[in-house]
Amino acid sequence: MPRIKYISHLKIRLKLYGCTNRPFYHIVVMPHKKPRQGKELEQLGTYDPMPNMFNEKLVSVNFERIQYWLGKKAEISRPVEHLLGLCGFLPIHPTSYLEATRNRKKMAEAEQNKEEKAESGS
Amino acid sequence: MAASSRRLSYCLLKSNYTALLRQVTFQKSRCVRSLSSAITTETGKDDKDPFVVFRSQEVQRILKKITGLNVEKVSHMVSSTLKKPTYKLLTEEETQEAEESARKAAEWKLQMPPFMLPRKPIHDILSKDPDLEGFDSSKYVFTDISFGVSNKERLIVVRDTDGTLRKADWDERDRVNQVYNPTTGQVYIAPKMFDDENLERVLNDDKYIYMLDRACVQFEPDNPDFIRVTHKTFEHINKNRKFDVLRSTRHFGPMTFYLTWNNKIDLLLVDMIHRGLMDDCIDVVNLYVILHPTSKTANNMQDKQDIERVKTYCQNDAENKAELELSIQAFEDSLRGKSKQTA
């Protein structure tokens, strides 16, 4: 028997706001075939990807409504899944771990390069 | 019946506290803010929690009484937008009603900001995930914006760059609440005037009411900064004997409470005697007895009346004994002189 994956027609995803060089997102729920900037069914939160002066990225989520839409079989897009994983609402997304290991590797390499430069310089 | 009415009055007192207000004077705007979330009642185990004493009925009655009610001063405190005066022709009854409503409005404005201990810091780590270290170069702050959650109860968590998930501390909470649920008059970052070096300068200009009002708007009453600013202001007033500035404002009660709590009422008593407010003076001593039930004064206070109570305090616990004694004597002499004149 062929296995058919259930595809929801509802999607919780990011809708781009802001202006040139200053992105800002709303977390919204909308039918999955609509364009990114299409009309949403409901806004569920916001996400500001640019850190503020205290080096914080602010995310606000209406968890009550998210639970409601999940009950309506809404699917969550990957960026939103990533955010909800970080806040402890869902299990942490595997890509977050991947990104973390990559970043750590990069940082270690950068440090090594610095040390080598310092040694060759002196 | 009596019990139910007592319960009702208790409820009223409680509800009064849940709606403590904040008012501030700005150049052209006026904002009133309610402090419904201010009550973090400590369980009554700790006897030394001043808030429990502060909100007791007797203490409230005394503080309200000595604050006084000067309707003109209260209504002048808020400079709203300039308006043309309106003139009305009223009957005697209507004038009385208007006066009554003005008095009620003034009383409403005189509700005191509570005197509290500093709040306890939040150190609540929800999970540690070292595998997640370095996932981003900045922290993530997550706020629950579900409908009907108050600022005090709102769940705010932070994912640090080292992968720990923790509850936000008070600073972060205040800032994020101001972003998502702003309060009129409050600023995102506390003004520089509350820094210690600037604070001193403002106080030297005698801008006490301005400073206290501003602090009431900016901070919650259990914020350590609020406590630092108000206490410094009270100290400054006590040092320079400028008590009369605060009379008929909502800060007179907390100031008296602070001074009494810290055994510093001598100068206040002297000031009151000089102004001929002997009743207030006795009330302050009564307050002292309530706050310090184990002090010498409280022990020697049995069946003493009126001015004798002040004298008892003067003999037992006063620090500026000589000055206080002198002013009591001067007051008594003047009384005697008056009685002779009338005779």
Side-chain angles (χ1 to χ4, degrees):
Chain A
M1 206 177 123
R3 286 188 180 177
I4 301 169
K5 197 188 163 196
Y6 175 79
I7 298 174
S8 167
H9 72 289
L10 291 171
K11 197 104 177 171
I12 297 175
R13 65 188 188 193
L14 296 175
K15 185 174 173 184
L16 179 66
Y17 279 80
C19 57
T20 316
N21 296 327
R22 208 293 172 217
F24 186 86
Y25 297 100
H26 284 187
I27 300 170
V28 297
V29 57
M30 58 163 76
H32 78 297
K33 288 211 169 163
K34 285 241 174 169
R36 186 191 64 189
Q37 298 300 100
K39 186 151 172 48
E40 74 267 28
L41 293 175
E42 189 183 352
Q43 186 195 345
L44 300 173
T46 58
Y47 167 47
D48 183 358
M50 293 183 91
N52 63 9
M53 60 190 288
F54 300 97
N55 198 18
E56 291 161 347
K57 292 183 179 177
L58 297 186
V59 186
S60 69
V61 188
N62 190 340
F63 289 110
E64 208 184 292
R65 294 306 290 169
I66 283 223
Q67 284 173 35
Y68 167 79
W69 284 112
L70 289 181
K72 291 263 177 188
K73 296 191 176 172
E75 273 187 3
I76 308 180
S77 75
R78 208 167 70 175
V80 178
E81 232 170 18
H82 180 89
L83 288 176
L84 292 182
L86 286 178
C87 74
F89 182 74
L90 297 179
I92 288 172
H93 199 270
T95 52
S96 306
Y97 285 123
L98 268 179
E99 211 177 318
T101 37
R102 280 180 199 142
N103 285 348
R104 281 203 298 270
K105 227 183 223 172
K106 260 187 207 168
M107 270 158 64
E109 273 176 16
E111 223 162 80
Q112 223 175 7
N113 283 345
K114 238 188 201 176
E115 276 176 17
E116 277 172 13
K117 266 189 186 176
E119 275 175 18
S120 61
S122 65
Chain B
M1 185 64 199
S4 70
S5 70
R6 209 176 303 139
R7 202 175 308 130
L8 183 70
S9 64
Y10 178 66
C11 288
L12 279 177
L13 189 80
K14 267 181 103 182
S15 67
N16 215 6
Y17 264 104
T18 53
L20 277 170
L21 61 144
R22 297 174 161 188
Q23 315 148 1
V24 74
T25 322
F26 282 119
Q27 282 180 337
K28 276 187 180 173
S29 68
R30 186 187 111 172
C31 59
V32 176
R33 137 167 208 214
S34 80
L35 261 183
S36 55
S37 56
I39 318 300
T40 49
T41 31
E42 308 262 326
T43 46
K45 287 171 196 165
D46 188 11
D47 287 6
K48 282 211 156 183
D49 182 10
F51 182 62
V52 176
V53 188
F54 181 82
R55 68 174 172 168
S56 74
Q57 227 159 349
E58 181 62 14
V59 172
Q60 280 295 308
R61 190 191 63 76
I62 291 176
L63 292 181
K64 257 181 207 163
K65 189 174 161 259
I66 59 175
T67 300
L69 181 63
N70 182 354
V71 177
E72 279 190 10
K73 187 172 177 183
V74 177
S75 53
H76 274 280
M77 278 188 328
V78 176
S79 64
S80 51
T81 46
L82 293 175
K83 276 184 226 153
K84 280 183 185 170
T86 51
Y87 298 95
K88 283 179 190 168
L89 200 61
L90 298 177
T91 62
E92 190 72 18
E93 265 178 32
E94 284 169 337
T95 329
Q96 274 175 6
E97 265 174 32
E99 273 173 8
E100 179 67 16
S101 68
R103 201 180 54 77
K104 269 188 184 163
E107 264 177 23
W108 184 76
K109 277 182 193 168
L110 282 184
Q111 292 179 77
M112 292 174 274
F115 189 97
M116 298 171 97
L117 286 177
R119 57 200 177 188
K120 283 170 192 151
I122 302 175
H123 299 295
D124 219 348
I125 290 176
L126 300 173
S127 83
K128 275 188 179 175
D129 201 340
D131 289 343
L132 211 54
E133 192 185 338
F135 72 97
D136 202 328
S137 55
S138 45
K139 291 185 283 185
Y140 278 70
V141 181
F142 297 93
T143 316
D144 181 14
I145 53 165
S146 299
F147 177 75
V149 183
S150 71
N151 275 3
K152 199 97 179 175
E153 295 156 6
R154 176 164 292 139
L155 185 69
I156 300 173
V157 293
V158 179
R159 178 72 76 170
D160 279 327
T161 44
D162 62 350
T164 50
L165 183 68
R166 60 176 172 83
K167 284 194 177 167
D169 59 28
W170 282 113
D171 277 357
E172 287 162 344
R173 283 192 74 90
D174 285 349
R175 263 191 290 116
V176 169
N177 278 331
Q178 179 59 17
V179 167
Y180 291 115
N181 192 9
T183 314
T184 335
Q186 218 178 73
V187 203
Y188 184 62
I189 296 159
K192 289 264 164 62
M193 67 184 266
F194 294 127
D195 293 352
D196 274 337
E197 64 268 19
N198 303 330
L199 188 73
E200 200 65 25
R201 218 168 52 206
V202 178
L203 292 183
N204 285 336
D205 292 346
D206 289 359
K207 291 181 179 169
Y208 299 120
I209 296 178
Y210 172 67
M211 178 59 92
L212 292 169
D213 276 344
R214 200 72 202 278
C216 274
V217 172
Q218 183 64 34
F219 304 121
E220 291 290 321
D222 54 355
N223 189 331
D225 276 331
F226 178 82
I227 292 164
R228 174 179 59 83
V229 169
T230 49
H231 288 193
K232 276 214 163 167
T233 315
F234 295 154
E235 280 295 333
H236 200 274
I237 290 171
N238 188 37
K239 212 171 92 190
N240 296 303
R241 307 189 182 203
K242 295 271 172 65
F243 305 105
D244 201 42
V245 179
L246 291 196
R247 202 159 270 133
S248 260
T249 70
R250 60 200 172 126
H251 305 296
F252 195 81
M255 181 194 67
T256 313
F257 191 88
Y258 168 77
L259 294 176
T260 319
W261 188 259
N262 293 309
N263 294 324
K264 287 173 185 168
I265 51 173
D266 300 359
L267 297 180
L268 179 64
L269 289 180
V270 171
D271 181 79
M272 280 174 168
I273 294 171
H274 280 314
R275 288 174 197 281
L277 302 167
M278 203 60 201
D279 286 352
D280 288 2
C281 205
I282 295 160
D283 275 331
V284 173
V285 174
N286 289 344
L287 183 67
Y288 182 87
V289 173
I290 295 172
L291 298 199
H292 305 281
T294 53
S295 63
K296 269 191 203 169
T297 316
N299 291 333
N300 295 324
M301 202 52 108
Q302 282 93 21
D303 46 78
K304 294 261 168 58
Q305 291 303 321
D306 297 347
I307 204 166
E308 291 297 318
R309 295 179 82 90
V310 185
K311 277 185 188 166
T312 321
Y313 168 78
C314 180
Q315 280 155 14
N316 290 306
D317 284 315
E319 281 172 15
N320 284 6
K321 202 173 171 183
E323 196 180 348
L324 189 55
E325 227 163 43
L326 261 180
S327 45
I328 292 173
Q329 240 170 25
F331 180 78
E332 279 181 328
D333 288 346
S334 70
L335 268 191
R336 246 173 258 146
K338 266 184 198 168
S339 62
K340 264 182 198 172
Q341 271 178 9
T342 51

